[in-house]
Amino acid sequence: MTHTGPQLTSLDLVELLTPSRTKTLEYAVGFVAGGAYGLTSVIVGQPLDTVKTRMQARPDSVSSNTLRIGLDLARTQGLTGLYRGGVPVFLGGTLFRSAQFGVYELALAKLREHTPKYRLFGVFDWQVALAGAAGGVGRGVIEAPFDRIKVTRQVEQQWTLRTLFSGAGVTLWRNSALFCSFSIYRDTVVPLIPGGLSPFWMGALCSNLAWLTIWPLDVVKSQRQSGNYPGHSSPALLAEAARGGLLLRGLLPGLARSTVANGTAMVAYKKIEELANMQLPRWR
């Protein structure tokens, strides 16, 4: 006699093959919170980012300090000069930073679900590091053309569609290493601080540590995208920066921007997360 098991209806199959509503909402929250992070970061940090980029990628500013570049720019071009390149970052920043956090949350959830947890030396969570790197790549794929336009605007150069992805490779490397570092520091350093940290100081501390970890890559990225160093590969620019003592060029305004922008942006990110956590039970 043939045994016939329970039959699945088409509705059952749809339910099996479709991600749960709760998981979909959780992923969406990651993207929305990342969007809030990105928008806040641009509004607060763009002037310092402009000063930083000009220090890194304008040959005529290579010997000028942060204060002189900032004051000269404010005096000659006003607020418009300080916010040079802000439009492409404003338009794309919400999207690529949202992708960064969204991809991170998705990758970490999948790694937690399908792979064993393990901490290297009992400290470093490999899943967090890999998810962070994935988030950085997700950001870099979207950010590269927007960042190319931003940098050329900041150093007052021209860009064309043909050169829109100039420096995209080093941008991917920088973003992957940056968000991997940020995720590791957020996972390992913050819990060591008695009483914890407010969202502002968590964002500021982890961002600054991450930037310090990868800063030479940012110098090379700015130079590749600026259009002021034609014919130079990323390794060649890195070697030249090392010989000229420029590996940490623009670090002061960069860290100042990171502190103010990422600290404030992390507050916005956490507020969105808290609001979503309160509302999720009603949306499920």
Side-chain angles (χ1 to χ4, degrees):
M1 184 174 73
T2 303
H3 176 72
T4 303
Q7 299 297 309
L8 293 176
T9 67
S10 58
L11 182 59
D12 293 328
L13 288 171
V14 169
E15 290 180 348
L16 285 171
L17 295 174
T18 303
S20 71
R21 178 178 173 82
T22 298
K23 285 188 175 182
T24 302
L25 286 171
E26 288 174 351
Y27 298 152
V29 167
F31 279 95
V32 172
Y37 187 106
L39 182 60
T40 306
S41 178
V42 171
I43 293 172
V44 175
Q46 186 65 19
L48 284 167
D49 185 74
T50 299
V51 173
K52 182 267 298 183
T53 301
R54 291 170 79 90
M55 290 180 71
Q56 291 176 328
R58 274 183 66 111
D60 62 356
S61 299
V62 73
S63 60
S64 297
N65 60 40
T66 301
L67 186 60
R68 173 175 293 182
I69 291 175
L71 289 176
D72 285 349
L73 194 58
R75 184 177 61 254
T76 58
Q77 301 183 28
L79 199 60
T80 301
L82 290 171
Y83 273 89
R84 271 190 169 276
V87 173
V89 183
F90 179 79
L91 295 176
T94 300
L95 181 60
F96 61 68
R97 286 190 174 90
S98 178
Q100 172 179 266
F101 282 98
V103 170
Y104 169 81
E105 296 290 350
L106 178 60
L108 186 60
K110 293 299 182 183
L111 288 168
R112 296 287 198 226
E113 183 179 353
H114 297 293
T115 62
K117 293 185 68 173
Y118 176 74
R119 285 187 177 268
L120 185 64
F121 307 119
V123 176
F124 301 105
D125 188 328
W126 75 273
Q127 293 173 330
V128 167
L130 187 57
V137 171
R139 167 180 169 166
V141 168
I142 301 171
E143 181 180 21
F146 290 102
D147 208 41
R148 160 69 170 166
I149 298 171
K150 175 194 78 99
V151 170
T152 55
R153 291 284 298 139
Q154 288 175 321
V155 300
E156 301 178 62
Q157 279 283 8
Q158 301 296 317
W159 62 274
T160 64
L161 287 176
R162 187 174 60 85
T163 63
L164 194 57
F165 284 89
S166 178
V170 70
T171 301
L172 285 175
W173 278 108
R174 184 207 68 167
N175 286 1
S176 180
L178 179 66
F179 200 60
C180 175
S181 300
F182 176 87
S183 301
I184 291 172
Y185 290 130
R186 187 170 63 162
D187 183 60
T188 58
V189 175
V190 174
L192 299 177
I193 298 174
L197 287 173
S198 68
F200 179 94
W201 288 113
M202 179 180 69
L205 175 64
C206 295
S207 295
N208 283 347
L209 289 173
W211 279 116
L212 282 168
T213 303
I214 62 88
W215 194 259
L217 283 176
D218 188 68
V219 174
V220 172
K221 179 207 74 74
S222 294
Q223 292 178 346
R224 283 294 308 277
Q225 291 179 323
S226 69
N228 286 326
Y229 300 85
H232 289 70
S233 66
S234 294
L237 287 172
L238 186 64
E240 286 184 17
R243 286 193 297 268
L246 301 176
L247 288 177
L248 299 180
R249 184 69 177 156
L251 183 62
L252 180 59
L255 292 186
R257 185 210 68 85
S258 175
T259 300
V260 176
N262 288 302
T264 305
M266 183 56 73
V267 173
Y269 180 85
K270 286 297 183 181
K271 288 294 184 184
I272 295 294
E273 274 195 334
E274 290 170 6
L275 178 62
N277 288 334
M278 289 190 296
Q279 296 295 328
L280 269 178
R282 297 171 55 187
W283 296 341
R284 287 171 180 158

